[in-house]
Amino acid sequence: MRKTILITGASSGLGEGMAREFAAMGRDLALCARRTERLDTLKAELERKHPRIKVIVKALDVNDYPAVFRVFREVQQEFGTVDRIIVNAGVGQGKRIGTGHFAQNVQTAHTNFVAALAQCEAAVEIFREQNAGHLVTISSMSAVRGLPKHLTTYAATKAGLASLSEGIRAELMATPIKVSTIFPGYIRTEINEGAPKLPFEVDGPTGSRLLAKAIEREPVKASVPWWPWGPMGFLMRILPLKAVLRLA
């Protein structure tokens, strides 16, 4: 059992939802995000509902790369070990390419890929020393194909993260360290609360429960929810791009 779990981007959305799910399983948690006031509220809630667990709150901007390494080490020192690290922090903002919004798109690229690389580096350093651990990266079903409109940069960063994760898995294949890449479909959270109804969407609590359940299995890859996104992912890879765009 992975007793101690570190989650980045834990102050809202899927990170917050997964924290609730793992707390209910009796896991000790390190919750990391920029907004510590929300983390403090979540910590109080989880410890009240589950008095046997320990919850650590850490202020962390994942774009501050030295801070990523420092905070991950602090969590290891406070817990004694870190069994699972979930690279979840990210942004969903993006604009159409070539419409004068490079600054916003490059910020998405920095947060969703370069900052994720920093988190993976820091996590795997710790896991190598422990000779044990479970690295989980939260990609997206949008990573399967290139997508238009506001999704172009976002989808590209999530594809990059999935490829990075597979490379790390290949590197660590002969070790006890596990690497899982999770591909969520449309899950309604704060990141997309203003969007119209999305194809095959599920609500946040349902999505978080299914994510935690998938992570517990420690798969190489998992689409969440599996139905319809498992079969849909296969179709997205082989269908003409014009057909795939109906999901965008």
Side-chain angles (χ1 to χ4, degrees):
M1 182 181 72
R2 307 291 184 181
K3 177 62 176 173
T4 59
I5 302 175
L6 184 158
I7 306 173
T8 63
S11 63
S12 63
L14 298 180
E16 180 182 5
M18 286 188 288
R20 289 194 173 98
E21 294 297 325
F22 287 119
M25 297 178 191
R27 312 302 170 83
D28 294 330
L29 299 172
L31 306 179
C32 304
R34 292 176 300 169
R35 296 174 290 185
T36 54
E37 67 281 358
R38 294 189 61 157
L39 292 181
D40 289 334
T41 300
L42 180 58
K43 169 184 166 71
E45 173 198 326
L46 298 180
E47 290 183 332
R48 183 178 66 253
K49 291 181 178 178
H50 313 285
R52 294 186 179 182
I53 71 169
K54 179 179 180 181
V55 181
I56 295 172
V57 164
K58 294 288 183 180
L60 177 62
D61 179 350
V62 294
N63 287 303
D64 182 349
Y65 310 136
V68 171
F69 287 83
R70 173 179 53 78
V71 167
F72 281 27
R73 285 292 182 181
E74 289 174 358
V75 170
Q76 183 195 31
Q77 290 165 5
E78 291 184 44
F79 277 143
T81 185
V82 183
D83 299 321
R84 175 181 289 148
I85 293 176
I86 303 177
V87 178
N88 169 71
V91 294
Q93 300 164 344
K95 297 292 185 180
R96 292 174 183 263
I97 300 296
T99 59
H101 297 283
F102 173 73
Q104 189 166 339
N105 286 330
V106 79
Q107 184 59 51
T108 296
H110 278 303
T111 302
N112 288 2
F113 183 75
V114 183
L117 171 61
Q119 294 167 73
C120 289
E121 288 267 12
V124 174
E125 278 188 12
I126 290 170
F127 293 158
R128 284 184 186 274
E129 291 178 7
Q130 296 177 167
N131 198 34
H134 182 206
L135 174 65
V136 180
T137 58
I138 305 299
S139 181
S140 168
M141 286 303 303
S142 68
V144 175
R145 295 289 292 271
L147 296 177
K149 306 175 188 176
H150 64 287
L151 290 173
T152 303
T153 301
Y154 177 82
T157 63
K158 291 301 187 177
L161 177 58
S163 180
L164 173 67
S165 305
E166 187 167 57
I168 296 170
R169 188 184 313 109
E171 172 74 15
L172 300 174
M173 196 172 290
T175 77
I177 302 167
K178 304 298 182 183
V179 181
S180 297
T181 310
I182 308 299
F183 297 85
Y186 290 119
I187 300 174
R188 180 67 66 170
T189 65
E190 291 179 37
I191 202 172
N192 54 29
E193 62 183 355
K197 186 172 177 60
L198 302 164
F200 313 114
E201 74 171 47
V202 297
D203 60 83
T206 299
S208 298
R209 176 176 55 81
L210 294 174
L211 281 172
K213 186 177 179 180
I215 290 168
E216 280 293 288
R217 296 196 302 269
E218 302 193 1
V220 169
K221 298 179 181 179
S223 300
V224 178
W226 182 84
W227 180 262
W229 291 108
M232 189 68 67
F234 172 76
L235 292 174
M236 288 173 69
R237 289 178 178 90
I238 64 173
L239 288 173
L241 185 59
K242 189 173 183 179
V244 176
L245 298 187
R246 295 173 185 171
L247 296 174

